[in-house]
Amino acid sequence: MKQDSSGFADAGLPLFAEGATTPSGAAVPSYLRDHRKRLRARFLDGGADAMPDYELLELLLFRAIPRQDVKPLARVLMDMFGDLNRVIAAPPARLRSVAGVGEAVIAELKLVEACAQRMARAKVMNRPVISSWAALLDYCHTAMSHRDTEQFRVLFLDRKNVLVADEAQGQGTVDHVPVYPREILRRALELNASALILVHNHPSGDPTPSQADIDMTQTILAACDALSITLHDHIVIGQSCELSFRSSGLL
């Protein structure tokens, strides 16, 4: 069986397998089987609300590491990154720096992250933004609030303010992301977009815009005005809150 760099098998057993064996052929210790069985039962009976975050993380790790106690690793990951969201959203390079984390673990975490973003995105794509504003903010937080570097996204809307495209325009550092107004407007014309919403995150958790954020927004606003494209808003995503340029009088 192929193993990853941490020594764990990539091709895991089915989740909570009852007949699991160790690589030597010996049965998995009963305390591990029983612990996994109890966690599964609690989750199925009470859902996520019945379990703390580190136990949900254990459930995710079971498939990636089918034959070892994953509770210590779950605790280490929670201590290092702070919460379950940050563990799941952590960059692969940082995850690899944790002893015991191999490619199988990273694949499981990134799969959950991708599914969460797809589910949140499905609630806002091809729908009028005005009637789904709360869902739009939820999606932005899901996609961006736990990133440890800045990302700049542009939401492209049609004449009915229906969201037709959501694209990342730039990746940056912990406090800066390069933004190119000409590229944003070129893409808007390609999509035949009539309006834009700008979104970027602040990894510090504080959504207060910098002067550079304000200046950049004004530059994009001027370019939009020249092409008769509406700039609805610029949203800055923080850890647990967001700031709207429009609501704050900055736009």
Side-chain angles (χ1 to χ4, degrees), residues 54-110:
Y54 79 89
E55 288 186 339
L56 288 177
L57 182 55
E58 281 190 73
L59 291 175
L60 293 177
L61 295 175
F62 283 167
R63 183 173 175 82
I65 308 176
R67 303 180 182 90
Q68 297 190 30
D69 183 4
V70 298
K71 182 183 291 186
L73 179 57
R75 291 286 195 179
V76 168
L77 288 169
M78 291 291 290
D79 289 342
M80 173 171 288
F81 294 103
D83 59 38
L84 181 60
N85 289 329
R86 287 184 176 275
V87 173
I88 292 172
R94 289 197 63 196
L95 289 169
R96 289 189 188 96
S97 70
V98 180
V101 173
E103 297 306 308
V105 169
I106 293 172
E108 291 295 319
L109 296 177
K110 295 297 105 180

Side-chain angles (χ1 to χ4, degrees), residues 144-152 199-203 235-238:
M144 304 175 72
S145 66
H146 300 286
R147 295 178 60 88
D148 59 3
T149 58
E150 283 198 14
Q151 182 185 67
F152 189 87
V199 189
H200 84 281
N201 65 306
H202 279 180
I235 302 169
V236 185
I237 300 295

Side-chain angles (χ1 to χ4, degrees), residues 116-145:
Q117 291 186 13
R118 288 285 181 90
M119 291 174 68
R121 190 171 185 264
K123 295 179 180 180
V124 298
M125 285 302 300
N126 300 314
R127 300 186 183 185
V129 166
I130 301 303
S131 62
S132 56
W133 190 252
L136 179 68
L137 293 179
D138 286 344
Y139 165 61
C140 291
H141 276 282
T142 299
M144 304 175 72
S145 66

Side-chain angles (χ1 to χ4, degrees), residues 190-204:
E190 288 178 351
L191 293 169
N192 197 30
S194 297
L196 308 176
I197 297 175
L198 312 177
V199 189
H200 84 281
N201 65 306
H202 279 180
S204 67

